[in-house]
Amino acid sequence: MFILLVRLQVRPELLTEFEAAALKNARLSLERDPGCRKFEVSREQEDATRWVFYETYDKEADWVAHRSSAHFLEFKELGDRAIVTREAIKLTPVPL
């Protein structure tokens, strides 16, 4: 299993466009990307410019393939303009 937590800060003037693009990318990732099991999009309650993506794939290669998909490249086009900071953290699940 491959899990990625992404923390983003978005330019305030592009929040509406970013939200629509992020939700579309997440929805299409779940529908179309082999191995994509979860793609959650969240926004901080106290600061609407701060976002978190929580993505789960069967394996890292599935995530790599996702980054070449048409829907991700469309999202990236807006993201390159909208995202001020980005931090990606690879996670390992801890069994109960």
Side-chain angles (χ1 to χ4, degrees):
M1 180 176 297
F2 178 77
I3 302 170
L4 190 68
L5 176 74
V6 184
R7 296 180 186 167
L8 306 164
Q9 184 164 16
V10 177
R11 296 183 191 288
E13 66 273 17
L14 293 174
L15 280 173
T16 302
E17 289 177 73
F18 178 82
E19 181 174 345
L23 293 174
K24 179 180 179 183
N25 179 55
R27 184 179 63 255
L28 292 176
S29 296
L30 288 165
E31 290 174 5
R32 298 180 181 174
D33 292 349
C36 183
R37 300 295 168 213
K38 181 182 283 193
F39 199 126
E40 295 180 5
V41 176
S42 301
R43 177 178 51 228
E44 283 190 22
Q45 289 183 2
E46 300 297 321
D47 183 352
T49 68
R50 295 191 179 273
W51 293 71
V52 175
F53 296 170
Y54 186 86
E55 306 173 43
T56 303
Y57 297 85
D58 287 337
K59 54 189 180 289
E60 189 169 0
D62 294 331
W63 171 75
V64 170
H66 155 75
R67 293 182 56 82
S68 298
S69 67
H71 54 273
F72 175 79
L73 294 174
E74 181 181 334
F75 167 74
K76 185 179 181 311
E77 186 176 314
L78 174 69
D80 287 345
R81 291 185 293 119
I83 297 169
V84 178
T85 61
R86 179 183 182 273
E87 177 187 17
I89 304 165
K90 295 178 181 179
L91 302 173
T92 300
V94 178
L96 295 175

